[in-house]
Amino acid sequence: MIGTDLSIAKQQLVSGELVAIPTETVYGLAANALSASAVAKIFAAKDRPSFDPLIVHTNAWERVEQWVQDVPALAHQLAAAFMPGPLTLLLPKKQVIPDLVTAGLPRVGIRLPRHPMTQSLLATLDFPVAAPSANPFGYISPTTAQHVNDQLGANVSYILDGGPCQVGVESTIVSFEEGEVVVLRKGGTPIERIEALIGPVQVKAYSTSNPTAPGMLKSHYAPRIPFLLGNKEDLIEEHAGKKVGVLAFRESIPHQDVLFQQILSPTGDLSEAAQRLFAAMREMDQMDLDLIIAEYLPEEGLGRAINDRLRRAAAL
Ligand code: TXA
Ligand code: MG
């Protein structure tokens, strides 16, 4: 059921059931993070392997000391600057967080979403919620309540509808290694903004072989239809005669062999492009196409997170 009733959402979570929640990045599939049996339902509903850890969400930074320890000063600094917002910090977990949440890893991802509806919900709960993106494992993340309903509607007790997600790509994930900040997933908080605050950071966002590293199986965010990434003119020529859809940044191309084109932002606005990315990919995936051809966006700001998602969709 889709709705906007916070008391139903709360009641379901308190009962150990799954509720889809809106966040500013993508919709999450939430359960009581302190209950291993509730969390187990997330893995089942998504068909997600249990080696892939979950992010824990709450409404206020002051609350997190109940669940994590040894919080580095840099984490407090990042939290003060960017939370609530599209940032996840990996911090040493206390025992109260079930091992299932972290896939047995010593650290837990902590995130404070900025969406007002979800903030209100989280404020009324006396536990945090574990929530991965509310899509079947490996598929494109949902940015509307309807996206969630289309694929997981039968597996969740309630879908809280907070409208389309404002940011549109997942949170930036950061860990702390030997006093340094390491970005493990490029996301809604641009690396440039983090670096403006604390200086240069390491980016290790491409490790795709080790599935316990965040992000980050190589093939992820993947449409059903073959998804190719590169120079769109060359790719279109290579695939002449096929039913081609194009996912472009700002300009459409006049081309008789292209059946459909999605323009992410005619004005070249990276925030708008991020906002529309996953819905555009979903829409094309439902069309009668042989393949989707996408082009890289500028490798700056949110463009870095978008390019990361495009590469994973193309399994590059
Ligand atoms: O924006 C977001 O982060 C969204 C919304 C719903 O909050 N959530 C999200 O969760 O994207 P998910 O599960 O789809 O992606 C989280 C990634 C996973 O790839 C996981 O491997 C990594 O974060 N991760 C989570 N906890 C981790 C940990 N303790 N250590 C290493 N990686 C972790
Ligand atoms: Mg996900």
Side-chain angles (χ1 to χ4, degrees):
M1 187 175 44
I2 302 186
T4 57
D5 190 330
L6 289 177
S7 62
I8 298 180
K10 175 180 179 176
Q11 184 201 327
Q12 292 301 317
L13 288 168
V14 168
S15 316
E17 299 302 328
L18 301 183
V19 173
I21 55 169
T23 85
E24 73 281 21
T25 59
V26 301
Y27 274 72
L29 184 64
N32 179 350
L34 306 184
S35 161
S37 60
V39 168
K41 294 179 185 172
I42 296 177
F43 288 94
K46 274 186 66 106
D47 205 6
R48 176 169 171 128
S50 59
F51 59 69
D52 198 2
L54 305 175
I55 294 172
V56 166
H57 302 66
T58 191
N59 63 304
W61 181 244
E62 295 70 45
R63 297 183 71 183
V64 308
E65 64 186 20
Q66 302 171 66
W67 310 306
V68 299
Q69 54 203 346
D70 307 326
V71 177
L74 270 172
H76 286 292
Q77 203 183 343
L78 291 177
F82 300 117
M83 287 181 162
L87 180 68
T88 294
L89 304 180
L90 296 188
L91 298 167
K93 82 174 189 76
K94 287 186 175 168
Q95 226 176 355
V96 59
I97 301 287
D99 287 331
L100 186 58
V101 170
T102 63
L105 296 169
R107 290 179 305 181
V108 60
I110 298 286
R111 168 155 142 68
L112 274 53
R114 193 165 63 200
H115 194 291
M117 196 180 246
T118 289
Q119 281 189 335
S120 307
L121 173 65
L122 294 173
T124 68
L125 300 174
D126 57 13
F127 50 83
V129 302
S133 51
N135 50 281
F137 182 69
Y139 194 67
I140 305 161
S141 298
T143 52
T144 67
Q146 191 58 47
H147 291 164
V148 180
N149 198 39
D150 288 345
Q151 292 184 306
L152 295 181
N155 303 357
V156 320
S157 296
Y158 193 63
I159 300 172
L160 193 58
D161 188 351
C165 300
Q166 293 299 301
V167 174
V169 290
E170 297 84 348
S171 61
T172 301
I173 301 181
V174 155
S175 76
F176 304 90
E177 292 169 22
E178 288 155 12
E180 305 236 335
V181 166
V182 180
V183 172
L184 296 175
R185 178 172 73 183
K186 298 174 190 174
T189 300
I191 293 171
E192 291 90 335
R193 291 198 56 205
I194 297 174
E195 292 190 319
L197 183 76
I198 59 167
V201 300
Q202 283 186 62
V203 182
K204 286 193 197 161
Y206 289 116
S207 60
T208 50
S209 51
N210 175 4
T212 61
M216 295 291 180
L217 298 166
K218 193 168 176 179
S219 168
H220 219 86
Y221 312 102
R224 285 177 311 114
I225 299 175
F227 189 90
L228 307 179
L229 177 62
N231 181 292
K232 61 186 179 199
E233 285 81 7
D234 293 352
L235 287 170
I236 289 166
E237 211 175 292
E238 242 172 76
H239 295 275
K242 293 190 185 151
K243 286 182 267 179
V244 169
V246 169
L247 182 62
F249 178 34
R250 28 185 331 172
E251 280 159 20
S252 55
I253 39 165
H255 208 294
Q256 65 217 29
D257 294 334
V258 173
L259 280 187
F260 183 74
Q261 299 193 57
Q262 281 272 10
I263 310 303
L264 289 174
S265 173
T267 60
D269 177 349
L270 291 170
S271 302
E272 182 184 32
Q275 222 171 70
R276 296 179 55 178
L277 176 71
F278 288 147
M281 285 168 66
R282 270 177 191 262
E283 191 185 326
M284 295 180 92
D285 203 24
Q286 277 153 27
M287 298 176 71
D288 178 28
L289 299 170
D290 293 328
L291 68 154
I292 300 170
I293 287 172
E295 65 179 348
Y296 286 103
L297 275 66
E299 185 69 20
E300 63 188 39
L302 286 175
R304 297 168 80 169
I306 296 170
N307 288 336
D308 172 82
R309 305 306 184 270
L310 293 174
R311 278 189 207 98
R312 287 181 205 282
L316 285 183

Short mmCIF file of all heavy atoms in Angstrom, two decimals, residues 247-295:
data_model
loop_
_atom_site.label_atom_id
_atom_site.label_comp_id
_atom_site.label_asym_id
_atom_site.label_seq_id
_atom_site.Cartn_x
_atom_site.Cartn_y
_atom_site.Cartn_z
N LEU A 247 20.54 7.92 -24.07
CA LEU A 247 20.48 8.68 -22.82
C LEU A 247 21.57 9.74 -22.89
O LEU A 247 22.76 9.41 -22.78
CB LEU A 247 20.70 7.73 -21.64
CG LEU A 247 20.63 8.29 -20.23
CD1 LEU A 247 19.25 8.85 -19.94
CD2 LEU A 247 20.97 7.20 -19.22
N ALA A 248 21.17 10.99 -23.12
CA ALA A 248 22.15 12.04 -23.37
C ALA A 248 22.11 13.08 -22.26
O ALA A 248 21.13 13.21 -21.53
CB ALA A 248 21.88 12.70 -24.71
N PHE A 249 23.19 13.82 -22.12
CA PHE A 249 23.26 14.84 -21.08
C PHE A 249 22.42 16.07 -21.46
O PHE A 249 21.37 16.31 -20.86
CB PHE A 249 24.72 15.23 -20.85
CG PHE A 249 24.91 16.32 -19.82
CD1 PHE A 249 24.09 16.44 -18.71
CD2 PHE A 249 25.96 17.24 -19.96
CE1 PHE A 249 24.28 17.43 -17.76
CE2 PHE A 249 26.16 18.23 -19.02
CZ PHE A 249 25.32 18.33 -17.93
N ARG A 250 22.83 16.82 -22.49
CA ARG A 250 22.08 18.05 -22.78
C ARG A 250 21.49 18.15 -24.17
O ARG A 250 20.52 18.85 -24.37
CB ARG A 250 22.88 19.31 -22.47
CG ARG A 250 24.37 19.21 -22.59
CD ARG A 250 25.10 20.47 -22.15
NE ARG A 250 24.33 21.67 -22.33
CZ ARG A 250 24.69 22.86 -21.88
NH1 ARG A 250 25.82 23.00 -21.21
NH2 ARG A 250 23.95 23.91 -22.10
N GLU A 251 22.12 17.48 -25.13
CA GLU A 251 21.66 17.69 -26.51
C GLU A 251 21.15 16.42 -27.16
O GLU A 251 21.78 15.37 -27.05
CB GLU A 251 22.80 18.24 -27.36
CG GLU A 251 23.00 19.73 -27.15
CD GLU A 251 24.39 20.17 -27.56
OE1 GLU A 251 25.05 19.44 -28.33
OE2 GLU A 251 24.81 21.24 -27.09
N SER A 252 20.02 16.55 -27.85
CA SER A 252 19.58 15.40 -28.64
C SER A 252 20.33 15.43 -29.97
O SER A 252 20.87 16.47 -30.36
CB SER A 252 18.08 15.46 -28.87
OG SER A 252 17.73 16.68 -29.46
N ILE A 253 20.39 14.28 -30.61
CA ILE A 253 21.06 14.25 -31.90
C ILE A 253 20.06 13.92 -32.99
O ILE A 253 19.20 13.07 -32.80
CB ILE A 253 22.19 13.21 -31.94
CG1 ILE A 253 21.75 11.96 -31.18
CG2 ILE A 253 23.48 13.76 -31.38
CD1 ILE A 253 22.63 10.81 -31.47
N PRO A 254 20.17 14.60 -34.12
CA PRO A 254 19.28 14.26 -35.22
C PRO A 254 19.79 12.95 -35.82
O PRO A 254 20.91 12.89 -36.30
CB PRO A 254 19.49 15.42 -36.20
CG PRO A 254 20.80 16.03 -35.84
CD PRO A 254 21.16 15.61 -34.46
N HIS A 255 19.02 11.90 -35.69
CA HIS A 255 19.52 10.62 -36.20
C HIS A 255 18.35 9.70 -36.47
O HIS A 255 17.58 9.37 -35.58
CB HIS A 255 20.50 9.99 -35.22
CG HIS A 255 21.48 9.11 -35.91
ND1 HIS A 255 21.12 7.95 -36.54
CD2 HIS A 255 22.82 9.23 -36.09
CE1 HIS A 255 22.20 7.39 -37.07
NE2 HIS A 255 23.25 8.15 -36.81
N GLN A 256 18.25 9.24 -37.70
CA GLN A 256 17.09 8.43 -38.05
C GLN A 256 17.09 7.05 -37.39
O GLN A 256 16.05 6.43 -37.26
CB GLN A 256 16.96 8.29 -39.56
CG GLN A 256 18.11 7.52 -40.20
CD GLN A 256 18.49 8.10 -41.57
OE1 GLN A 256 18.32 9.30 -41.80
NE2 GLN A 256 18.98 7.27 -42.45
N ASP A 257 18.28 6.59 -36.95
CA ASP A 257 18.34 5.24 -36.38
C ASP A 257 18.00 5.20 -34.90
O ASP A 257 18.01 4.15 -34.28
CB ASP A 257 19.73 4.64 -36.57
CG ASP A 257 20.01 4.44 -38.05
OD1 ASP A 257 19.04 4.27 -38.81
OD2 ASP A 257 21.19 4.48 -38.43
N VAL A 258 17.74 6.35 -34.33
CA VAL A 258 17.44 6.39 -32.90
C VAL A 258 15.94 6.46 -32.70
O VAL A 258 15.27 7.35 -33.20
CB VAL A 258 18.13 7.62 -32.26
CG1 VAL A 258 17.69 7.77 -30.82
CG2 VAL A 258 19.64 7.46 -32.33
N LEU A 259 15.42 5.49 -31.93
CA LEU A 259 13.97 5.45 -31.72
C LEU A 259 13.52 6.44 -30.65
O LEU A 259 12.43 6.96 -30.70
CB LEU A 259 13.55 4.05 -31.28
CG LEU A 259 13.42 3.00 -32.37
CD1 LEU A 259 12.84 1.73 -31.78
CD2 LEU A 259 12.51 3.51 -33.49
N PHE A 260 14.39 6.63 -29.66
CA PHE A 260 13.97 7.42 -28.50
C PHE A 260 15.19 8.07 -27.87
O PHE A 260 16.25 7.46 -27.79
CB PHE A 260 13.28 6.48 -27.50
CG PHE A 260 12.76 7.19 -26.29
CD1 PHE A 260 11.62 7.97 -26.38
CD2 PHE A 260 13.41 7.08 -25.07
CE1 PHE A 260 11.13 8.64 -25.26
CE2 PHE A 260 12.93 7.74 -23.95
CZ PHE A 260 11.78 8.52 -24.05
N GLN A 261 15.02 9.30 -27.42
CA GLN A 261 16.13 9.97 -26.73
C GLN A 261 15.64 10.57 -25.43
O GLN A 261 14.56 11.15 -25.37
CB GLN A 261 16.70 11.09 -27.60
CG GLN A 261 17.26 10.59 -28.92
CD GLN A 261 18.10 11.67 -29.61
OE1 GLN A 261 19.06 12.18 -29.05
NE2 GLN A 261 17.72 12.01 -30.83
N GLN A 262 16.46 10.42 -24.39
CA GLN A 262 16.21 11.05 -23.10
C GLN A 262 17.28 12.10 -22.90
O GLN A 262 18.47 11.78 -22.97
CB GLN A 262 16.38 10.03 -21.96
CG GLN A 262 15.23 9.10 -21.74
CD GLN A 262 14.20 9.67 -20.79
OE1 GLN A 262 14.24 10.85 -20.44
NE2 GLN A 262 13.25 8.85 -20.40
N ILE A 263 16.87 13.32 -22.64
CA ILE A 263 17.85 14.37 -22.35
C ILE A 263 17.78 14.65 -20.85
O ILE A 263 16.73 15.01 -20.33
CB ILE A 263 17.53 15.66 -23.14
CG1 ILE A 263 17.31 15.34 -24.63
CG2 ILE A 263 18.64 16.69 -22.95
CD1 ILE A 263 18.46 14.65 -25.31
N LEU A 264 18.91 14.47 -20.16
CA LEU A 264 18.88 14.59 -18.70
C LEU A 264 18.74 16.04 -18.25
O LEU A 264 18.04 16.32 -17.28
CB LEU A 264 20.13 13.96 -18.09
CG LEU A 264 20.15 12.42 -18.18
CD1 LEU A 264 21.49 11.87 -17.68
CD2 LEU A 264 19.00 11.80 -17.39
N SER A 265 19.42 16.96 -18.91
CA SER A 265 19.26 18.37 -18.56
C SER A 265 19.62 19.26 -19.74
O SER A 265 20.80 19.48 -20.01
CB SER A 265 20.15 18.73 -17.36
OG SER A 265 20.08 20.13 -17.16
N PRO A 266 18.62 19.80 -20.41
CA PRO A 266 18.88 20.66 -21.57
C PRO A 266 19.76 21.86 -21.23
O PRO A 266 20.48 22.35 -22.08
CB PRO A 266 17.48 21.12 -22.00
CG PRO A 266 16.54 20.13 -21.41
CD PRO A 266 17.18 19.61 -20.17
N THR A 267 19.73 22.30 -19.98
CA THR A 267 20.55 23.46 -19.61
C THR A 267 21.92 23.05 -19.08
O THR A 267 22.73 23.89 -18.70
CB THR A 267 19.85 24.30 -18.52
OG1 THR A 267 19.67 23.45 -17.37
CG2 THR A 267 18.52 24.82 -18.99
N GLY A 268 22.18 21.73 -19.03
CA GLY A 268 23.49 21.28 -18.56
C GLY A 268 23.66 21.36 -17.06
O GLY A 268 24.77 21.52 -16.55
N ASP A 269 22.55 21.23 -16.33
CA ASP A 269 22.59 21.32 -14.87
C ASP A 269 22.77 19.91 -14.28
O ASP A 269 21.90 19.05 -14.42
CB ASP A 269 21.25 21.94 -14.42
CG ASP A 269 21.12 22.02 -12.92
OD1 ASP A 269 21.94 21.42 -12.20
OD2 ASP A 269 20.17 22.68 -12.45
N LEU A 270 23.90 19.69 -13.61
CA LEU A 270 24.21 18.34 -13.11
C LEU A 270 23.24 17.88 -12.03
O LEU A 270 22.95 16.68 -11.91
CB LEU A 270 25.65 18.28 -12.60
CG LEU A 270 26.72 18.40 -13.70
CD1 LEU A 270 28.10 18.59 -13.09
CD2 LEU A 270 26.71 17.16 -14.59
N SER A 271 22.71 18.82 -11.23
CA SER A 271 21.74 18.43 -10.19
C SER A 271 20.47 17.90 -10.84
O SER A 271 19.91 16.89 -10.41
CB SER A 271 21.36 19.60 -9.30
OG SER A 271 22.50 20.12 -8.70
N GLU A 272 20.03 18.60 -11.87
CA GLU A 272 18.83 18.15 -12.57
C GLU A 272 19.09 16.79 -13.23
O GLU A 272 18.23 15.90 -13.20
CB GLU A 272 18.42 19.18 -13.64
CG GLU A 272 17.16 18.80 -14.36
CD GLU A 272 16.78 19.77 -15.49
OE1 GLU A 272 17.68 20.36 -16.13
OE2 GLU A 272 15.58 19.95 -15.71
N ALA A 273 20.27 16.63 -13.80
CA ALA A 273 20.61 15.35 -14.46
C ALA A 273 20.58 14.21 -13.44
O ALA A 273 20.05 13.13 -13.72
CB ALA A 273 21.98 15.45 -15.13
N ALA A 274 21.15 14.44 -12.25
CA ALA A 274 21.16 13.40 -11.21
C ALA A 274 19.74 13.05 -10.78
O ALA A 274 19.38 11.88 -10.63
CB ALA A 274 21.98 13.86 -10.00
N GLN A 275 18.94 14.10 -10.61
CA GLN A 275 17.54 13.92 -10.20
C GLN A 275 16.79 13.01 -11.18
O GLN A 275 15.97 12.21 -10.78
CB GLN A 275 16.90 15.29 -10.22
CG GLN A 275 15.99 15.63 -9.10
CD GLN A 275 15.63 17.12 -9.21
OE1 GLN A 275 14.92 17.53 -10.11
NE2 GLN A 275 16.18 17.91 -8.30
N ARG A 276 17.08 13.16 -12.45
CA ARG A 276 16.30 12.45 -13.47
C ARG A 276 16.91 11.13 -13.91
O ARG A 276 16.25 10.33 -14.60
CB ARG A 276 16.15 13.36 -14.69
CG ARG A 276 15.34 14.61 -14.36
CD ARG A 276 15.20 15.52 -15.53
NE ARG A 276 14.61 14.83 -16.69
CZ ARG A 276 14.34 15.42 -17.84
NH1 ARG A 276 14.60 16.69 -17.99
NH2 ARG A 276 13.82 14.74 -18.83
N LEU A 277 18.16 10.89 -13.55
CA LEU A 277 18.90 9.76 -14.10
C LEU A 277 18.18 8.42 -14.00
O LEU A 277 17.93 7.74 -15.00
CB LEU A 277 20.27 9.66 -13.42
CG LEU A 277 21.13 8.46 -13.83
CD1 LEU A 277 21.64 8.64 -15.25
CD2 LEU A 277 22.30 8.29 -12.87
N PHE A 278 17.85 8.00 -12.76
CA PHE A 278 17.32 6.64 -12.58
C PHE A 278 15.93 6.49 -13.20
O PHE A 278 15.61 5.43 -13.74
CB PHE A 278 17.31 6.25 -11.11
CG PHE A 278 18.69 5.99 -10.53
CD1 PHE A 278 18.98 6.30 -9.21
CD2 PHE A 278 19.70 5.41 -11.29
CE1 PHE A 278 20.23 6.04 -8.66
CE2 PHE A 278 20.96 5.15 -10.75
CZ PHE A 278 21.23 5.47 -9.44
N ALA A 279 15.10 7.53 -13.10
CA ALA A 279 13.77 7.44 -13.72
C ALA A 279 13.90 7.31 -15.24
O ALA A 279 13.17 6.55 -15.88
CB ALA A 279 12.92 8.65 -13.35
N ALA A 280 14.87 8.05 -15.81
CA ALA A 280 15.09 7.98 -17.25
C ALA A 280 15.55 6.57 -17.66
O ALA A 280 15.09 6.01 -18.66
CB ALA A 280 16.13 9.01 -17.67
N MET A 281 16.45 5.99 -16.86
CA MET A 281 16.93 4.63 -17.17
C MET A 281 15.80 3.62 -17.07
O MET A 281 15.66 2.73 -17.91
CB MET A 281 18.07 4.25 -16.21
CG MET A 281 19.38 4.95 -16.56
SD MET A 281 20.65 4.79 -15.27
CE MET A 281 20.99 3.04 -15.29
N ARG A 282 14.96 3.76 -16.05
CA ARG A 282 13.82 2.86 -15.89
C ARG A 282 12.86 2.97 -17.07
O ARG A 282 12.37 1.97 -17.58
CB ARG A 282 13.02 3.20 -14.63
CG ARG A 282 13.49 2.49 -13.42
CD ARG A 282 12.70 2.95 -12.21
NE ARG A 282 13.36 2.42 -11.05
CZ ARG A 282 12.99 1.30 -10.40
NH1 ARG A 282 11.92 0.64 -10.78
NH2 ARG A 282 13.68 0.86 -9.39
N GLU A 283 12.57 4.21 -17.45
CA GLU A 283 11.61 4.41 -18.53
C GLU A 283 12.10 3.75 -19.81
O GLU A 283 11.35 3.04 -20.48
CB GLU A 283 11.40 5.92 -18.75
CG GLU A 283 10.23 6.21 -19.68
CD GLU A 283 10.09 7.68 -20.01
OE1 GLU A 283 10.39 8.52 -19.12
OE2 GLU A 283 9.70 7.98 -21.14
N MET A 284 13.37 3.93 -20.12
CA MET A 284 13.91 3.34 -21.35
C MET A 284 13.94 1.82 -21.26
O MET A 284 13.75 1.12 -22.25
CB MET A 284 15.30 3.87 -21.62
CG MET A 284 15.29 5.35 -21.92
SD MET A 284 16.93 5.99 -22.25
CE MET A 284 16.99 5.81 -23.99
N ASP A 285 14.19 1.33 -20.04
CA ASP A 285 14.27 -0.12 -19.86
C ASP A 285 12.93 -0.80 -20.12
O ASP A 285 12.88 -2.00 -20.38
CB ASP A 285 14.75 -0.42 -18.43
CG ASP A 285 15.38 -1.79 -18.31
OD1 ASP A 285 15.86 -2.31 -19.34
OD2 ASP A 285 15.40 -2.34 -17.20
N GLN A 286 11.84 -0.01 -20.01
CA GLN A 286 10.52 -0.60 -20.24
C GLN A 286 10.08 -0.47 -21.69
O GLN A 286 9.00 -0.94 -22.06
CB GLN A 286 9.50 0.08 -19.32
CG GLN A 286 9.52 -0.55 -17.93
CD GLN A 286 9.07 0.40 -16.84
OE1 GLN A 286 8.30 1.33 -17.10
NE2 GLN A 286 9.56 0.19 -15.63
N MET A 287 10.89 0.16 -22.51
CA MET A 287 10.51 0.33 -23.91
C MET A 287 10.99 -0.86 -24.74
O MET A 287 11.83 -1.64 -24.32
CB MET A 287 11.11 1.64 -24.44
CG MET A 287 10.58 2.84 -23.70
SD MET A 287 11.35 4.37 -24.22
CE MET A 287 10.62 4.53 -25.82
N ASP A 288 10.45 -0.94 -25.94
CA ASP A 288 10.83 -2.03 -26.83
C ASP A 288 12.10 -1.62 -27.60
O ASP A 288 12.03 -1.22 -28.76
CB ASP A 288 9.65 -2.31 -27.78
CG ASP A 288 10.00 -3.40 -28.77
OD1 ASP A 288 10.84 -4.26 -28.43
OD2 ASP A 288 9.43 -3.38 -29.88
N LEU A 289 13.23 -1.70 -26.92
CA LEU A 289 14.51 -1.31 -27.52
C LEU A 289 15.46 -2.50 -27.51
O LEU A 289 15.33 -3.40 -26.67
CB LEU A 289 15.15 -0.17 -26.71
CG LEU A 289 14.36 1.14 -26.60
CD1 LEU A 289 15.03 2.06 -25.56
CD2 LEU A 289 14.29 1.83 -27.96
N ASP A 290 16.42 -2.50 -28.44
CA ASP A 290 17.45 -3.54 -28.42
C ASP A 290 18.59 -3.16 -27.49
O ASP A 290 19.24 -4.01 -26.90
CB ASP A 290 18.02 -3.76 -29.83
CG ASP A 290 16.98 -4.34 -30.77
OD1 ASP A 290 16.13 -5.11 -30.28
OD2 ASP A 290 17.01 -4.01 -31.97
N LEU A 291 18.86 -1.86 -27.42
CA LEU A 291 19.93 -1.42 -26.53
C LEU A 291 19.78 0.06 -26.19
O LEU A 291 19.09 0.81 -26.88
CB LEU A 291 21.32 -1.68 -27.12
CG LEU A 291 21.75 -0.89 -28.34
CD1 LEU A 291 23.26 -0.78 -28.39
CD2 LEU A 291 21.28 -1.58 -29.62
N ILE A 292 20.45 0.42 -25.07
CA ILE A 292 20.47 1.81 -24.63
C ILE A 292 21.91 2.30 -24.77
O ILE A 292 22.85 1.61 -24.35
CB ILE A 292 20.02 1.93 -23.17
CG1 ILE A 292 18.58 1.39 -23.00
CG2 ILE A 292 20.11 3.38 -22.69
CD1 ILE A 292 18.13 1.24 -21.56
N ILE A 293 22.07 3.47 -25.39
CA ILE A 293 23.39 4.06 -25.53
C ILE A 293 23.43 5.32 -24.66
O ILE A 293 22.54 6.18 -24.76
CB ILE A 293 23.68 4.41 -27.01
CG1 ILE A 293 23.94 3.10 -27.78
CG2 ILE A 293 24.85 5.38 -27.13
CD1 ILE A 293 24.04 3.29 -29.29
N ALA A 294 24.44 5.39 -23.79
CA ALA A 294 24.55 6.56 -22.91
C ALA A 294 25.90 7.21 -23.08
O ALA A 294 26.86 6.55 -23.51
CB ALA A 294 24.36 6.13 -21.45
N GLU A 295 25.96 8.50 -22.77
CA GLU A 295 27.24 9.20 -22.85
C GLU A 295 27.67 9.65 -21.46
O GLU A 295 26.84 9.83 -20.56
CB GLU A 295 27.13 10.41 -23.78
CG GLU A 295 26.17 11.48 -23.27
CD GLU A 295 26.09 12.70 -24.19
OE1 GLU A 295 26.93 12.81 -25.11
OE2 GLU A 295 25.19 13.53 -23.99
#
